[in-house]
Amino acid sequence: MSTGTKRCFVSIDLPASMKDYLLRLQKPGIYWIKWMKPANMHITLNFLGDINESEIESAREILSEVAAAHHSFRLRLDTLRQERDMLWGMPSHSDETELIQNELKDRLKH
């Protein structure tokens, strides 16, 4: 990571009920899986990489504009997928999240 930059990504925070459900699925005895703390559970939409403070501020403005242009929507946890030493909860396909993700991808190019 370069000096003066932060590794950033855009994500959707999960509601407490979903975090509680995912926490109940965790099996701490399975030591080779990296179990995530509920406070860190999210759905990643876009990875921005290492960006500086001015790029972060610009990204915040874009995120506010995009969020204001979209309505609330529901997501459903569809499948669990193991990848290396991690277990991923995958949401079902959502036209709304795909639309938001693509809009952010286009507007956050740097």
Side-chain angles (χ1 to χ4, degrees):
M1 182 165 72
S2 303
T3 306
T5 63
K6 293 182 182 179
R7 183 159 292 210
C8 297
F9 62 94
V10 178
S11 66
I12 298 173
D13 193 23
L14 299 176
S17 60
M18 179 60 75
K19 289 179 181 182
D20 290 342
Y21 171 73
L22 293 171
L23 185 61
R24 289 191 307 271
L25 291 177
Q26 293 184 6
K27 306 288 184 221
I30 302 175
Y31 61 88
W32 60 88
I33 295 177
K34 294 179 183 175
W35 300 109
M36 186 175 281
K37 295 175 184 169
N40 296 331
M41 293 177 180
H42 64 274
I43 296 173
T44 301
L45 292 178
N46 303 84
F47 181 68
L48 305 179
D50 298 328
I51 60 177
N52 63 40
E53 287 299 322
S54 66
E55 292 170 314
I56 291 171
E57 188 54 40
S58 176
R60 283 185 178 136
E61 291 173 17
I62 291 169
L63 289 170
S64 292
E65 292 168 8
V66 171
H70 293 273
H71 302 286
S72 297
F73 56 93
R74 291 188 179 270
L75 286 176
R76 192 184 80 197
L77 182 64
D78 195 31
T79 58
L80 294 175
R81 184 181 86 209
Q82 181 184 356
E83 189 175 307
R84 294 186 304 266
D85 61 347
M86 297 184 83
L87 187 63
W88 298 77
M90 305 301 293
S92 58
H93 174 78
S94 163
D95 290 337
E96 187 67 18
T97 53
E98 187 174 339
L99 181 65
I100 293 168
Q101 188 176 35
N102 289 334
E103 186 175 345
L104 288 171
K105 184 178 176 182
D106 289 342
R107 294 200 52 200
L108 291 169
K109 289 179 184 172
H110 60 275

